[in-house]
Amino acid sequence: MGRFIVRRVAQMLFVMFAVSILTFFIFNVIPNGDPAVRMAGKQPTESQIEAIREEWGFNDNIFVQYTTTMKKVFTGDLLSYTTQLPVDEEIIKGLPRTFALAVGAALLWMFVAICFGLYSAVKAGKFADRFLTIIALIGISMPVFWIGALMNYYLGFKLGWFPNGGYVEFSEDPVDWAYHLILPWTALAILFIGFYSRVLRSNVLDTINEDFVRTARAKGLGERQIMVRHVLRNSMIPIVTLWGLDFGAVIGGGAILTETVFDLQGVGQYAAEAVGQLDVPPVLATTMFAAFFIVLLNAIVDIVYAYLDPRIRLQ
Amino acid sequence: MATEPATETTLQGPAAWEQEAEREHVHGLGPWRLGFRRLRRNRVALFFGFLFILLILVCAAAPLWADNVAKTGPTDGHLSDTIQVDGETKNVVGLDGVPIGPQYMKADGKFFLGADGNGRDIMVRLLYGGRNSLFIGLTAALITVFLSIILGVVSGYFRGSTDAVIRTLLDILWSFPVIILATALGVALALGGLKIGPLTIAGDSLAIPILIIGLVYVPYMARPVRGQVMSLREKEFVEAARAQGAGPIRIMFSEVIPNLASTMLVFFTLLIANAVLLEAALSFLGAGVQPPNPSWGTMIEEGVDRIATAPHLAIVPGIMLVLTVLSLNVFGDGVRDALDPRAKVRLER
Amino acid sequence: MAKLGRRALVLLVACLSMFVIAACGDDDDDGGGGGGGGGEATKGGSITISQTSQPDYMDPALTYTVNGIEPLWLVYTPLITYAHEEGQAGSKLIPGLAEALPEISEDGTEYKLKLRDGLKYSDGSAVKASDFEHSIKRVLNLESGGSAFYLGIEGAQDYLDAGKAEGDISGITTDDQTGDITIKLGAPDGSFTHVLGMWFAALVPSDTPFKNMTKDPPPGVGAYMVTESVPNRQFVLKRNPEYDKNPIDGVPAANIDTITTKIVKSAQRQAQDVISGQLDYMQDPPPADIKPEVKAKYSDRYAEYTTASTYYFFMNTRVPPFDDPKVREAVNWGVDKPGLARLFAGEVAPGCSFLPPGVPGFDEALDVDDCPWGNPNEPPDLEKARTLIKEAGVDGMDVTVYGNNDDPTNKVTEAYADMLTKMGFNAKPKILDGGVYFQTIGNQKTKAQTGFANWFQDFPHPKNFMFLIDGKSIQPTNNQNFGNVDDPEITKGIAELNQEPDLTKAEDQWKDLNNKLVERAWIVPYGHRKLSTFFSERMDFDNCRIFHPVYFNDYSSWCLKEQ
């Protein structure tokens, strides 16, 4: 088991390294304008542009540039081309917001998905089941930015039931913080509720027919006990692993659209803006950050799964 | 990766089909026929399947509408023009910038759903946009299936170092945050286009979003395919073929790939759905279809800007997207159920 | 079984209701009430305002965008400044930190000023004459976008070339004892007094480091001081108590105590917040979508002002098809100016003159009937455009139309491409990010054929606009003469008129140059932009509002309504 973990971590680091190289090269090899000129602002002279090139090392060959940039990522010296402000500070500022969005949405979707999925399984084949399935499918089919923008405008501005986008720091006012996040949480969750409730439903239906459930029933345990203690717990295992992967994916990318629509100014929005401006340092840093989470959660899921699988554990 | 979480199908090849055929008392019918029958009984899935085909046909008929009814193209602006509505002359775009609302048939079909801020016909853009979005979705899905099959089969069949290399590549691609990668590529390529050797692709070509979306989803399908190939490899019929002296390529084409057919089909429908959604997301962020070409994603992006005065600009393309993706999801579900009710094919996000 | 399902649902509903209850509790909540009575304007209070993007710099030596200039005008005052008035009156130069307007020598190369006595920065330290030279040094040493304006000073180029921060500019001599400041120019420059009135020349203490001070702006002499600057989030202006003790004549002290400026990316949200009162002012005009509602329902706190700005399309005269003057004429005939005005939701008044209203040389008739391409308020002559283009043999040619993704520039670019297509070209828009746009089209290598451009005056002198079409300003990179316009007669005219320090004498000649420029179809001007002031209900719209021709909304003029 220990060897497995070590191998997995090594793989993680390798993948991160590869991701960083890929990102850096995508932006530096594809023609995209001269960052030195961009940084020089309005009406600079050739000497000014040359000075910036020297200072930022744009004249060095690409490998040197890569190593310098990567060093800066870890020492926190990375500066944005557009604003010349430190990238790590921006990411640190945005981190709690992205997390608040992702965690809240994830909890919401799990909770609702469990309710829906369980209910559907229990009423399998009946109208309620069909109805919830259709709702779930509609949820999966909606573009998150579309439903988010509509909710923001109609529920937020027109009806005034919710605030009109924006983010309030938890430290300032926890209630207001949650209030501002309800719509974003819902928009992001709608996407996943549908999917998870269906997976849970099918897992529950499968488990119900398993032997150990029949045994439990034969032993005389109440239906409710069976549902919760046996069926649900067993159905949850694949759900939890999927949840881990999806959570990583949300931090890695799904949050971007929601943050942009609701103006939450988290890491995702920062990344989207930086990409639009072809501002390499923030894009590099946010990509690494997002990839790190995806890779981390993947690794955790793998390790947990391996732990549960005796074949690996006993290696 | 030691084990793959719930991503494999549990299809098992001809032997399993026979068993099921026996159960259903329909001997002599191959698995495809069997599946088709089951699909036919699933009214809901059929309905949505037809809906999807209908959407494709309607969007494909965009030029018919544009030339004969609306009499304008998808990128033709009518900023200062006027139209006749019930004998009244109205501005297509008012002096305050507010475009005209849906006219339905009041102006002989012109501006059926109204105009956008640049004076362009929304209905025409919706149809042409659908053409673009669906075309991108279908082609990208094809690319994904194609690449996934190649990578999955090669990796699963040959194992060893080939497998390790391909798996690492897939891991890297998988770890890349999808949206950031796609947006970054989209923005960078839209600027300067793509030049690979003698091949030049213009910045606003649809090929760019197609390639990006096609590439991005490869790990999602390649992995399950690889897992399936690895288990198929050990089956008797493959052993038999090997014993007969068939080379690996022959085996891959005649034994392995055909058994992947149902996986491919199910994945294909789900991939189209995801590709269409991803295209919309990219276009919304400005990294997909480039102006002035329409796509449902760009129309939503433009529509959100005008949500107070002309909400239908954002709502209608969104509804089209939902209908398309919903149809694909329901139909894809139906196909999966029909081919193997116990299969657990899924597409991870 | 049924019970379990129902239980889950009940829990769900309970959770949701909790949220709804919490939600109902909150409402808009801005702090601070108005002050007590006394005087016309209520003193005191705090407000929250918004900008759409982070100011490029919160440093007077470096900033060159409205975002930075608008607030910093009230924080840093140069030797010369403008009257705090609206319209033409605001274009008048008045003494700022100097006692009087400069004494200009006969040959126009020497400017003498004297610093007022007893001036203090917001941190209490005394203002010295040598601070002026230090401030100019910062502009040059930090490679500011404004350096070009000061390179005319003798020794400025040498200072820049030497590259040493602590070097000396030979053309500036100051005496801290008497407060005398003497500036020697290499050649006469009729606009130099205006240049002295630019924010770049605002005085900061001599110990201000030679680096970008955005996160910790230096003290200045002005109605406000910056107390907090968190890039991309917000910055805070607080009333400057030092200034209150000793305000300068013509540069009023502040009414409102605290102004918090938040960066809110969505203009739509800003407008919605100003309507609901969460924000008290937004710097950009409300977006076209909300404009009709604002004009209809909130006209008692919304006003529009025509600014000294020109929106135009450049045509690259070095690249086909625009190297052919007939083609350029054709485009001028065919551009749908009223159509473009619609894209700005009426914020652009269609026009034809290159020099805008408020700048000497503006020709009002040119904006209407005298326009050689037809009255800009009328539909264009598309037929004529098509014919000319066919005759020139460029029918069907590929044209890439450049624009950026700021709203509504992107839509304008698409519309312009559509217009060119209607004229017979095969035109496609190419939208770049706002942050890289001007550098990209300003690079000769891009060979940009045509595209979007605009200019807002830096100061009310025609030179500030004419340099955009001056053959002498053409550069290989960071070119501002995007069309590479090179008309020897116009270039000569500009050079001559530049030397004349008295604008009223030269006004007719500037008008003449303006007309020649437009007649010869060097560019396609289509109008002048209106900006706006949109207040929340708390602000006293009727009594406390000044829209300045150079510095836009004057924060020091604002006050809250009496409670």
Side-chain angles (χ1 to χ4, degrees):
Chain A
M1 186 65 189
R3 257 202 359 219
F4 178 75
I5 296 184
V6 168
R7 246 191 315 147
R8 210 55 197 79
V9 171
Q11 201 181 355
M12 226 179 95
L13 292 170
F14 177 73
V15 168
M16 294 289 300
F17 175 61
V19 166
S20 71
I21 295 189
L22 245 173
T23 319
F24 192 77
F25 276 99
I26 287 177
F27 274 95
N28 280 289
V29 170
I30 292 174
N32 61 13
D34 191 341
V37 173
R38 211 180 317 146
M39 274 196 272
K42 282 198 194 179
Q43 304 181 13
T45 59
E46 265 307 313
S47 59
Q48 288 172 7
I49 300 175
E50 206 33 60
I52 294 179
R53 285 217 186 94
E54 273 305 309
E55 195 190 314
W56 288 71
F58 292 137
N59 282 334
D60 304 328
N61 75 54
I62 198 126
F63 299 102
V64 175
Q65 276 192 53
Y66 172 73
T67 23
T68 339
T69 314
M70 286 312 289
K71 237 192 292 174
K72 286 197 199 152
V73 169
F74 290 107
T75 55
D77 280 339
L78 199 59
L79 296 178
S80 145
Y81 289 164
T82 339
T83 62
Q84 279 125 62
L85 295 168
V87 170
D88 58 342
E89 281 180 25
E90 289 298 313
I91 293 187
I92 292 177
K93 266 189 256 175
L95 210 57
R97 297 160 183 239
T98 306
F99 262 102
L101 174 65
V103 172
L107 290 173
L108 180 64
W109 94 54
M110 278 308 261
F111 178 68
V112 178
I114 293 178
C115 298
F116 275 26
L118 214 51
Y119 196 67
S120 299
V122 153
K123 298 273 185 207
K126 310 223 187 95
F127 173 71
D129 172 32
R130 292 271 162 97
F131 181 67
L132 282 178
T133 308
I134 299 283
I135 303 267
L137 283 173
I138 294 182
I140 306 178
S141 313
M142 288 205 258
V144 67
F145 55 92
W146 178 73
I147 191 71
L150 289 179
M151 283 202 296
N152 191 23
Y153 180 70
Y154 285 105
L155 298 178
F157 180 61
K158 266 284 156 107
L159 290 172
W161 289 351
F162 294 99
N164 194 6
Y167 183 87
V168 171
E169 299 284 346
F170 184 78
S171 44
E172 252 179 66
D173 185 347
V175 176
D176 212 18
W177 167 85
Y179 184 46
H180 275 81
L181 281 171
I182 294 182
L183 285 186
W185 280 337
T186 315
L188 198 48
I190 286 181
L191 210 55
F192 292 100
I193 289 176
F195 173 75
Y196 277 83
S197 65
R198 285 175 359 108
V199 173
L200 186 70
R201 173 187 175 280
S202 81
N203 284 353
V204 165
L205 285 176
D206 282 348
T207 325
I208 281 184
N209 293 323
E210 294 284 336
D211 288 337
F212 70 88
V213 174
R214 257 181 268 154
T215 319
R217 254 192 225 123
K219 277 207 264 176
L221 288 178
E223 270 310 308
R224 199 188 311 166
Q225 261 193 317
I226 296 177
M227 275 323 254
V228 176
R229 206 183 291 181
H230 295 279
V231 176
L232 197 57
R233 210 192 302 174
N234 272 281
S235 322
M236 286 297 285
I237 295 175
I239 295 269
V240 171
T241 58
L242 291 175
W243 188 90
L245 298 174
D246 274 333
F247 183 67
V250 165
I251 301 247
I256 292 184
L257 293 161
T258 321
E259 283 179 27
T260 308
V261 165
F262 289 98
D263 198 25
L264 297 176
Q265 309 233 358
V267 180
Q269 196 173 356
Y270 182 53
E273 282 162 8
V275 169
Q277 294 168 356
L278 298 176
D279 193 359
V280 179
V283 176
L284 192 60
T286 46
T287 309
M288 303 274 304
F289 164 81
F292 171 70
F293 270 96
I294 296 179
V295 163
L296 178 71
L297 282 154
N298 262 275
I300 292 180
V301 162
D302 269 354
I303 292 178
V304 165
Y305 221 77
Y307 181 75
L308 294 173
D309 186 340
R311 287 179 286 165
I312 309 295
R313 198 182 346 157
L314 299 175
Q315 244 174 22
Chain B
M1 243 330 143
T3 43
E4 321 240 17
T7 56
E8 303 171 26
T9 60
T10 49
L11 298 170
Q12 302 229 15
W17 296 123
E18 272 308 303
Q19 286 178 3
E20 299 213 331
E22 283 214 37
R23 256 191 281 146
E24 303 210 359
H25 305 296
V26 275
H27 294 261
L29 284 181
W32 291 102
R33 272 292 193 70
L34 213 54
F36 195 63
R37 267 209 184 189
R38 264 190 239 125
L39 186 61
R40 254 192 318 175
R41 272 184 267 151
N42 187 346
R43 299 278 172 77
V44 178
L46 279 183
F47 168 71
F48 279 101
F50 283 129
L51 182 59
F52 179 64
I53 306 277
L54 186 66
L55 282 166
I56 294 188
L57 288 174
V58 166
C59 291
L64 285 176
W65 177 273
D67 294 337
N68 301 317
V69 183
K71 302 221 174 41
T72 182
T75 57
D76 292 340
H78 299 273
L79 271 175
S80 304
D81 290 353
T82 55
I83 51 169
Q84 295 288 100
V85 178
D86 295 336
E88 246 186 86
T89 311
K90 285 207 193 149
N91 277 328
V92 170
V93 178
L95 289 168
D96 56 357
V98 178
I100 203 169
Q103 296 305 298
Y104 305 114
M105 292 311 289
K106 283 193 270 184
D108 301 323
K110 293 203 190 119
F111 299 107
F112 188 87
L113 288 176
D116 71 0
N118 277 49
R120 300 177 291 212
D121 189 321
I122 295 283
M123 187 63 179
V124 174
R125 276 178 81 77
L126 193 69
L127 295 175
Y128 273 93
R131 246 170 44 142
N132 284 339
S133 298
L134 290 169
F135 176 68
I136 293 177
L138 280 159
T139 323
L142 277 170
I143 293 182
T144 310
V145 169
F146 181 68
L147 286 175
S148 305
I149 295 287
I150 294 183
L151 288 174
V153 168
V154 166
S155 174
Y157 192 83
F158 286 118
R159 300 216 271 212
S161 47
T162 327
D163 180 31
V165 168
I166 293 185
R167 243 191 29 219
T168 318
L169 250 126
L170 290 176
D171 266 349
I172 296 174
L173 201 53
W174 168 288
S175 311
F176 232 107
V178 167
I179 302 218
I180 299 185
L181 171 65
T183 314
L185 283 173
V187 170
L189 293 176
L191 223 45
L194 193 57
K195 281 191 185 58
I196 321 175
L199 188 68
T200 316
I201 306 179
D204 63 347
S205 157
L206 290 183
I208 293 183
I210 290 178
L211 284 171
I212 295 175
I213 298 174
L215 196 63
V216 151
Y217 277 117
V218 166
Y220 294 83
M221 181 173 169
R223 279 171 159 195
V225 165
R226 169 182 167 275
Q228 224 189 312
V229 168
M230 283 191 352
S231 61
L232 274 176
R233 197 177 184 274
E234 311 304 325
K235 295 294 169 208
E236 304 83 17
F237 55 91
V238 171
E239 285 234 22
R242 232 184 274 144
Q244 283 183 316
I249 310 251
R250 182 90 199 281
I251 297 182
M252 284 194 283
F253 271 97
S254 64
E255 309 293 340
V256 176
I257 292 188
N259 276 289
L260 294 172
S262 41
T263 316
M264 275 177 12
L265 189 58
V266 179
F267 259 112
F268 183 57
T269 53
L270 296 181
L271 279 171
I272 303 177
N274 277 285
V276 168
L277 279 178
L278 183 58
E279 181 274 317
L282 288 182
S283 299
F284 181 76
L285 292 173
V289 175
Q290 295 298 308
N293 297 324
S295 90
W296 287 336
T298 60
M299 289 181 75
I300 294 181
E301 192 249 328
E302 289 164 12
V304 169
D305 277 343
R306 286 223 150 263
I307 203 162
T309 44
H312 61 287
L313 293 185
I315 295 183
V316 174
I319 293 186
M320 295 296 276
L321 263 174
V322 173
L323 282 176
T324 307
V325 177
L326 182 65
S327 315
L328 282 165
N329 273 323
V330 174
F331 184 66
D333 260 14
V335 169
R336 190 199 63 201
D337 281 345
L339 287 180
D340 182 356
R342 291 189 305 130
K344 288 199 182 82
V345 172
R346 82 158 280 218
L347 202 57
E348 297 176 48
R349 282 178 178 274
Chain C
M1 300 239 204
K3 279 197 215 151
L4 184 60
R6 218 182 288 156
R7 252 218 185 170
L9 281 169
V10 168
L11 255 174
L12 196 63
V13 172
C15 294
L16 282 175
S17 15
M18 245 173 42
F19 272 124
V20 173
I21 294 174
C24 290
D26 258 51
D27 240 318
D28 61 303
D29 54 298
D30 266 299
E40 255 184 17
T42 341
K43 295 266 179 205
S46 27
I47 59 174
T48 312
I49 67 177
S50 67
Q51 291 190 6
T52 311
S53 53
Q54 168 67 18
D56 53 350
Y57 300 98
M58 287 294 282
D59 186 329
L62 293 168
T63 185
Y64 208 162
T65 57
V66 178
N67 308 55
I69 296 168
E70 195 180 70
L72 293 185
W73 185 39
L74 292 322
V75 180
Y76 302 102
T77 309
L79 293 174
I80 309 290
T81 188
Y82 293 89
H84 284 243
E85 310 259 4
E86 276 189 1
Q88 273 304 106
S91 298
K92 198 174 84 162
L93 290 167
I94 60 170
L97 298 193
E99 278 186 348
L101 291 180
E103 238 179 72
I104 312 177
S105 65
E106 270 292 314
D107 63 355
T109 60
E110 198 177 81
Y111 285 66
K112 275 209 176 82
L113 299 118
K114 185 172 174 309
L115 188 70
R116 289 182 205 256
D117 287 326
L119 289 172
K120 290 218 168 60
Y121 290 110
S122 55
D123 66 352
S125 58
V127 180
K128 306 191 304 284
S130 51
D131 292 343
F132 173 72
E133 185 168 352
H134 183 81
S135 308
I136 302 296
K137 279 197 223 169
R138 289 188 78 237
V139 172
L140 294 171
N141 178 274
L142 294 174
E143 294 162 348
S144 162
S147 326
F149 294 107
Y150 302 92
L151 287 174
I153 301 177
E154 251 181 33
Q157 189 64 55
D158 296 327
Y159 169 80
L160 190 58
D161 293 337
K164 288 211 192 68
E166 296 307 329
D168 182 58
I169 303 178
S170 54
I172 304 180
T173 25
T174 63
D175 184 338
D176 282 343
Q177 299 291 0
T178 57
D180 285 323
I181 300 173
T182 311
I183 310 166
K184 205 127 178 29
L185 301 178
D189 177 357
S191 67
F192 192 69
T193 317
H194 287 276
V195 166
L196 283 178
M198 292 183 88
W199 58 91
F200 294 115
L203 268 66
V204 291
S206 285
D207 58 2
T208 310
F210 283 87
K211 67 178 173 92
N212 174 4
M213 300 296 288
T214 294
K215 290 209 276 178
D216 184 22
V221 181
Y224 285 101
M225 53 186 187
V226 180
T227 55
E228 189 189 313
S229 171
V230 182
N232 276 321
R233 292 277 182 263
Q234 64 178 40
F235 59 89
V236 180
L237 297 176
K238 274 206 162 74
R239 160 199 292 280
N240 178 357
E242 278 300 327
Y243 193 74
D244 281 343
K245 295 182 196 159
N246 188 14
I248 294 172
D249 210 15
V251 183
N255 299 320
I256 295 185
D257 287 333
T258 313
I259 303 180
T260 307
T261 306
K262 282 196 156 76
I263 311 296
V264 180
K265 299 275 157 71
S266 155
Q268 228 174 24
R269 226 158 56 78
Q270 292 176 51
Q272 290 160 353
D273 284 347
V274 174
I275 290 176
S276 66
Q278 309 249 37
L279 281 175
D280 293 298
Y281 159 82
M282 56 185 290
Q283 188 181 61
D284 286 329
D289 197 31
I290 309 218
K291 204 52 112 53
E293 186 182 339
V294 170
K295 278 191 170 149
K297 290 203 240 167
Y298 307 107
S299 55
D300 60 342
R301 40 191 176 107
Y302 174 78
E304 282 178 0
Y305 303 89
T306 309
T307 60
S309 61
T310 301
Y311 276 59
Y312 64 101
F313 296 121
F314 69 87
M315 295 179 287
N316 195 341
T317 58
R318 288 188 180 176
V319 162
F322 300 108
D323 49 355
D324 182 347
K326 285 282 170 209
V327 173
R328 297 199 299 270
E329 281 176 34
V331 176
N332 268 291
W333 281 112
V335 163
D336 182 2
K337 296 185 178 115
L340 291 171
R342 284 176 164 88
L343 287 173
F344 287 93
E347 267 169 38
V348 160
C352 187
S353 163
F354 185 65
L355 294 177
V359 175
F362 167 61
D363 189 343
E364 214 178 312
L366 192 54
D367 256 0
V368 232
D369 292 311
D370 276 4
C371 182
W373 321 110
N375 190 328
N377 292 290
E378 304 280 316
D381 192 344
L382 213 47
E383 264 319 301
K384 189 146 189 171
R386 281 200 203 115
T387 323
L388 282 172
I389 285 175
K390 259 213 194 86
E391 284 169 12
V394 291
D395 202 32
M397 184 167 175
D398 285 338
V399 173
T400 306
V401 180
Y402 282 77
N404 66 49
N405 60 3
D406 297 335
D407 186 73
T409 310
N410 47 3
K411 305 202 167 58
V412 169
T413 312
E414 285 181 54
Y416 177 43
D418 184 46
M419 291 172 200
L420 288 175
T421 307
K422 289 197 169 80
M423 292 184 229
F425 289 111
N426 180 17
K428 287 222 185 96
K430 190 177 184 116
I431 311 285
L432 305 174
D433 185 78
V436 308
Y437 178 64
F438 288 106
Q439 285 86 353
T440 310
I441 55 172
N443 190 335
Q444 299 288 359
K445 288 201 206 131
T446 310
K447 294 208 173 70
Q449 289 163 298
T450 183
F452 173 88
N454 67 353
W455 188 261
F456 283 77
Q457 69 172 1
D458 288 327
F459 46 82
H461 193 285
K463 177 184 183 198
N464 191 239
F465 276 84
M466 297 305 258
F467 97 97
L468 294 168
I469 43 82
D470 191 342
K472 285 200 281 188
S473 351
I474 300 180
Q475 287 174 181
T477 53
N478 261 255
N479 185 16
Q480 299 270 19
N481 184 347
F482 304 121
N484 296 311
V485 174
D486 196 357
D487 183 326
E489 192 185 334
I490 294 182
T491 306
K492 188 152 154 280
I494 296 174
E496 278 171 6
L497 289 174
N498 265 344
Q499 309 207 341
E500 174 56 66
D502 189 348
L503 267 179
T504 43
K505 286 197 202 138
E507 191 166 339
D508 282 330
Q509 288 155 292
W510 281 116
K511 225 186 229 181
D512 188 50
L513 276 183
N514 184 14
N515 270 282
K516 282 205 175 75
L517 180 68
V518 174
E519 278 162 25
R520 295 177 190 179
W522 286 111
I523 28 90
V524 191
Y526 57 90
H528 316 288
R529 182 78 183 265
K530 289 191 210 163
L531 291 180
S532 63
T533 307
F534 186 29
F535 281 162
S536 69
E537 284 193 319
R538 301 172 60 211
M539 304 282 282
D540 189 345
F541 183 76
D542 299 316
N543 300 316
C544 293
R545 164 177 54 106
I546 289 182
F547 187 89
H548 193 264
V550 176
Y551 287 99
F552 311 105
N553 280 282
D554 183 342
Y555 296 4
S556 65
S557 67
W558 292 347
C559 69
L560 293 173
K561 281 192 187 141
E562 296 220 10
Q563 293 298 317

